[in-house]
Amino acid sequence: APSNIKNFKLGKYGRLRLNYLKTNKKAEYMILQMENKLQKHLMDIDITATERVNAIIKELAKKENVTEELKANNQLELNNIKNRAEEIVLKELIHD
């Protein structure tokens, strides 16, 4: 994890979280901003969500026998697993 918040490039999940806060949790968004905690919050969510998505993908791939060899010729199956992993993480971390 990057120790310097200023150099951290916000990824997909951090941006989704930011968008969610602005749209659905205006008060929480304002408080985080006023207390200067918004960037750290978004960075933490981004890192945690990325790790969690990868862990779930591994878990599902293993459970459903999607192996490395299969990955090459079965992009569809892998995309399906990735989408399901992201759905779980959106519920757990982003839209919370």
Side-chain angles (χ1 to χ4, degrees), residues 12-13 16-17 45 48-61 63-64 79-96:
K12 174 181 184 178
Y13 305 112
L16 285 171
R17 178 64 176 168
I45 291 277
T48 306
T50 302
E51 288 171 353
R52 186 89 180 96
V53 165
N54 292 334
I56 295 169
I57 288 173
K58 272 197 189 112
E59 213 174 281
L60 290 173
K63 202 161 72 181
E64 294 172 26
N79 285 344
N80 176 298
I81 287 175
K82 184 174 195 260
N83 291 340
R84 281 159 43 210
E86 286 192 334
E87 258 171 55
I88 293 167
V89 171
L90 287 178
K91 281 192 194 94
E92 283 180 353
L93 291 166
I94 312 294
H95 303 155
D96 173 36

Side-chain angles (χ1 to χ4, degrees), residues 45-77:
I45 291 277
D46 199 58
I47 292 166
T48 306
T50 302
E51 288 171 353
R52 186 89 180 96
V53 165
N54 292 334
I56 295 169
I57 288 173
K58 272 197 189 112
E59 213 174 281
L60 290 173
K62 195 173 158 189
K63 202 161 72 181
E64 294 172 26
N65 257 333
V66 177
T67 60
E68 288 298 325
E69 306 84 77
L70 190 61
K71 276 182 198 174
N73 39 13
N74 204 342
Q75 204 50 50
L76 219 63
E77 187 59 37

